[in-house]
């Protein structure tokens, strides 16, 4: 009986009972032999049978009990993969075979391994070694410039593919034309010369074993790991033609018509496809490279009053950093000196520069446009907003969408199935027709035309392109599952404050009620009294007076009455500002006239009366104003066929007024924060697929409960952690953009899968001779000559990747 002991660092324990609770629950897992949790060292030692239970199962149980397990995450660039089965081989080499690896997911399209592991049990070097032992390459980068090392390795790989393809062309092109010339008798007396076959062999051999060597090594790696990939098919198909031809060359009595050109051209055409695929596939990660390119290599740091240029990796929190016009901001920070406008479009998708003055936040990767800025570094390295966005997009692109499960299941049995069909085709045609060569040609055609690559690329390339497009527009999907779920939404629920509205009150109406005062004097009296108030409504009044450049005097005898109103003396006059009900109590003879007040309140506005020396001088209406894009966002959501609802803790009257202003279908007002998730659940029980949009801490439970949580990027960190989609710009029009993008991406995935399946379903029977739409064509075309099969295979993957790239041009 095999046993494995794993040590898991545990967080969240507060007493020995916590340790006992974890022990008790972990021991209940079938396959766990023993568990010992040490409260002092905060470590769980678990002995388990790896054949019955995974480390991930233990971690899940600990987390279900309410504690955490310390895990690390590694993104590892991998080289040498040729199809989706290679990715599966690497996953098998890591999952369950490398102690400490909790979960490994390999994305063939991005050529990256995404690995979660226990740092106390393994590390990046051990993980990389396991990948290399499985027969693939790992890009080992320096800490300073990992993306540069990766980009250089990718370029070298494309150059290698190009070099091998050009070698194939140099030898295969003359071989093909000479072969065709001999078949049609265009070479005169040379057509049947025995030395011609030796010339064909000399031209074909470099192609077979230099240009095509990758397929032999790739096929061997795959078979050694207990599976079969595209390389196996290509190596088998080309080798059959080459070995048959070599046999005729060595034993002329068997025949004299060789097929060296078939094997050489097959390999060259498929190498062309792989080269173009590598070049095209690289473009799907363009958004990530753009984001990485925003980071400057060096920065100017002020030390003891002197400017020093240092590598960006040496900037520390608290350093003073100087950014001149036109330069990129190297790290996140807070402006200490200077004023400028900063282009944040690559992070938020918004084209207009944002003004920055002392006290404002700046984000690494944005571009300083106008003035000189000096700021204090607050987040550096992996903690900057740009680094977190890059990490989030990379991890999301590397995740597998549920729709990919079908393609994965098909790909796992595809190659063995094709090999079976190929040999069955060979036997049937050989036994039925009695001729070896036509049967062999059909066998080679079936082997070569089948393409698991198109199936493997259909989903991940579209996911990469869709998420890359989203990142350019300030829409960040945390996972491919979220992207897929967003496409199925039929209802959007909006929070009000901070989402539909600006989140802070503003003066929207000022009116004098008599001839003695005008609007400016009414606002001046009110702002003077409110100068000492901390209430948001009072601050809004003071802010409005400042905007209108009104001189605000200092009040005397300031008194506040628990949010209902304030009073004091201004210019020797007694002034009271507050709600109508409070003014009635404070100034019984003021003569409060309700006309107009109810109309303003019906519009969702808060009305305050201003009384001077016991008489009403005017009224001021304050409201949390709508964001300018709110109405357009709701209209766009309706155009997408989505029902729109609003949840708010505000009163019914205000909520209805906001809903009317923007055209919302359904309103739930006076909803407490803890009730929001229950409302979402109610919508879901009615059969709705709900997307929740919010920005505050009180929205976090509802964001987590919804089918898709969309967090406004300018909101709190808690809300952003709870949301599955982050709208980095804070613009509500990002919600319909996210839905449009997710629908476009899923539409592209379905198109890709359709063409990948249709290609194989239609052309494998043609290659096998079951269907023959080319009856009127020459002999080699009637049998779907293997050369045409190789061309079709090469084009299939390129078609899928190119279709995915169309997402970059989609209008969202």
């Amino acid at each position: 009986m095999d046993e494995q002991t794993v040590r898991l660092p545990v967080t969240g324990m507060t007493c020995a009972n916590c340790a006992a609770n974890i022990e008790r629950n972990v021991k209940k897992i079938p396959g766990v032999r023993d568990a010992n949790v040490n409260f002092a060292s905060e470590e769980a030692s678990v002995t388990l049978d790896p054949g019955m239970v995974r480390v991930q199962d233990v971690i899940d149980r600990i987390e279900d009990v309410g504690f955490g397990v310390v895990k690390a995450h590694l993104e590892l660039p991998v080289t040498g993969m040729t199809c989706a089965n290679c990715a599966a081989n690497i996953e098998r080499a890591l999952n369950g075979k490398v102690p400490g690896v909790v979960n490994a997911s390999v994305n063939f399209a991005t050529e990256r391994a995404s690995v979660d592991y226990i740092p106390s049990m393994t590390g990046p070097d051990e993980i990389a070694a396991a990948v290399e032992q499985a027969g693939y390459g790992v890009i080992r980068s320096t800490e300073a410039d990992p993306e540069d090392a990766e980009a250089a390795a990718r370029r070298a790989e494309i150059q290698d593919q190009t070099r091998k393809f050009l070698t194939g062309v140099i030898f295969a092109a003359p071989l093909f034309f000479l072969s065709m010339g001999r078949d049609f008798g265009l070479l005169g007396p040379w057509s049947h010369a025995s030395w011609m076959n030796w010339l064909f062999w000399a031209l074909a051999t470099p192609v077979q074993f230099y240009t095509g060597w990758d397929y032999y090594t790739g096929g061997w790696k795959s078979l050694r790991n207990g599976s079969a990939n595209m390389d196996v098919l290509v190596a088998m198909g080309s080798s059959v033609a080459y070995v048959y031809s070599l046999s005729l060359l060595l034993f002329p009595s068997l025949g004299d018509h060789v097929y060296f050109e078939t094997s050489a051209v097959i390999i060259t055409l498929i190498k062309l496809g792989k080269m173009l695929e590598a070049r095209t596939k690289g473009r799907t990660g363009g958004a990530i490279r753009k984001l990485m390119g925003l980071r400057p290599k060096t920065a100017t740091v002020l030390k003891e009053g002197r400017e020093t240029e240092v590598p960006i990796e040496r900037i520390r929190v608290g350093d003073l950093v100087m950014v001149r016009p036109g330069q990129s901001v190297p790290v996140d920070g807070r402006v200490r000196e200077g004023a400028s406008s900063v282009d944040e479009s690559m992070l938020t998708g918004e084209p207009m520069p944002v003004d920055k003055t002392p006290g404002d936040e700046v984000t690494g990767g944005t571009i300083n446009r106008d003035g000189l800025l000096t700021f204090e570094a607050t987040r550096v390295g992996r903690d900057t907003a740009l680094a977190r966005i890059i990490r989030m997009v990379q991890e999301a692109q590397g995740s597998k969408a549920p729709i990919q499960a079908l393609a994965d299941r098909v790909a796992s049995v595809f190659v063995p199935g094709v090999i079976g069909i190929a040999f069955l085709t060979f036997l049937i045609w050989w036994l039925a027709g009695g001729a070896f060569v036509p049967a062999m040609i059909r066998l080679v055609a079936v082997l070569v035309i089948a393409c698991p690559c198109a199936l493997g690329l259909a989903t991940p390339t579209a996911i990469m392109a869709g998420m890359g497009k989203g990142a350019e527009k300030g829409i960040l999907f945390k996972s491919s599952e979220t992207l897929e779920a967003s496409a199925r939404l039929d209802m959007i629920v909006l929070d009000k404050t901070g989402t539909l509205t600006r989140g802070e009150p503003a003066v929207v109406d000022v009116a004098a009620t008599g001839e003695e005062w005008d609007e400016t004097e009414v606002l001046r009296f009110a702002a003077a009294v409110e100068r000492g108030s901390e209430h948001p409504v009072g601050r809004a009044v003071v802010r409005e007076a400042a905007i209108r450049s009104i001189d605000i005097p200092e009040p005397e005898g300031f008194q506040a009455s628990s949010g209902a109103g304030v009073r004091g003396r201004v210019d020797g006059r007694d002034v009271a500002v507050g709600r109508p009900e409070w003014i009635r109590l404070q100034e019984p003879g003021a003569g409060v006239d309700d006309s107009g007040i109810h109309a303003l309140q019906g519009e969702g506005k808060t009305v305050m009366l201003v009384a001077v020396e016991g008489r009403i001088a005017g009224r001021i209406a304050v409201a949390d104003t709508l964001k300018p894009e709110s109405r357009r966002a709701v209209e766009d959501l309706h155009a997408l066929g989505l029902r729109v609802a609003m949840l708010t803790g505000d009163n019914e009257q205000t909520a209805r007024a906001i809903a009317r202003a923007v055209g919302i279908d359904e309103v739930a007002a006076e909803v407490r924060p803890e009730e929001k998730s229950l409302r979402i659940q109610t919508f879901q029980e009615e059969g709705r697929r709900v997307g929740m949009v919010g920005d505050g801490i009180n929205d976090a439970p509802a964001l987590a409960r919804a089918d898709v949580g969309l967090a406004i990027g300018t909101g709190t960190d808690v809300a952003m952690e709870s949301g599955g989609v982050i709208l980095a710009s804070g613009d509500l029009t990002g919600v319909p953009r996210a839905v449009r993008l997710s629908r476009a991406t899923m539409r592209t995935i379905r198109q890709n899968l359709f063409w990948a399946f249709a290609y194989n379903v239609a052309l494998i029977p043609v290659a096998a001779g079951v269907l023959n739409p080319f009856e009127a064509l020459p002999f080699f075309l009637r049998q779907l000559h293997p050369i045409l099969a190789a061309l079709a295979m090469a084009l299939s993957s390129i078609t899928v990747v190119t279709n995915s790239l169309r997402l970059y041009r989609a209008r969202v």
Side-chain angles (χ1 to χ4, degrees), residues 272-403:
L272 169 65
K274 299 304 290 183
M275 180 191 72
L276 294 177
E277 178 189 311
R279 292 173 180 270
T280 311
K281 190 169 62 178
R283 290 167 56 195
T284 60
I288 290 293
R289 285 192 296 277
K290 282 183 184 178
L291 289 172
M292 288 179 171
L294 294 175
R295 295 184 294 197
K297 306 299 181 188
T298 60
T300 303
V301 176
L302 291 175
K303 293 185 176 180
E304 298 177 355
R306 293 198 305 271
E307 297 180 16
T308 306
E309 189 167 308
V310 300
I312 189 173
E313 296 80 21
R314 289 174 53 188
I315 299 178
R316 297 292 178 261
V317 173
D319 285 352
L320 289 180
V321 183
M322 180 181 291
V323 187
R324 292 182 169 83
Q327 292 182 335
S328 293
V329 178
V331 295
D332 296 357
R334 183 175 293 106
V335 177
R336 292 276 293 271
E337 295 178 13
S340 182
S341 60
V342 175
D343 182 356
E344 299 181 341
S345 59
M346 272 305 294
L347 295 179
T348 65
E350 297 301 314
M352 293 300 294
V354 180
D355 291 335
K356 301 291 182 181
T357 55
D360 290 337
E361 303 282 342
V362 290
T363 306
T366 56
I367 299 173
N368 182 27
R369 287 297 185 199
D370 303 322
L372 179 68
L373 289 177
T374 301
F375 67 92
E376 179 185 349
T378 56
R379 286 191 295 269
V380 299
R382 289 175 57 85
D383 296 328
T384 63
L386 178 60
R388 283 183 290 159
I389 288 172
I390 292 171
R391 213 157 46 238
M392 184 187 302
V393 176
Q394 283 178 332
E395 291 173 5
Q397 287 183 333
S399 61
K400 291 183 179 180
I403 196 173

Side-chain angles (χ1 to χ4, degrees), residues 175-198 200 248 256-261:
L175 173 59
F176 176 76
F177 289 114
L178 285 172
S179 177
M180 291 299 101
R182 185 179 69 170
D183 289 345
F184 290 102
L186 302 178
L187 300 182
W190 293 354
S191 295
H192 300 289
S194 60
W195 60 266
M196 285 291 292
N197 286 347
W198 286 99
F200 289 174
L248 297 187
D256 65 348
H257 191 91
V258 295
Y259 288 88
F260 284 120
E261 83 285 353

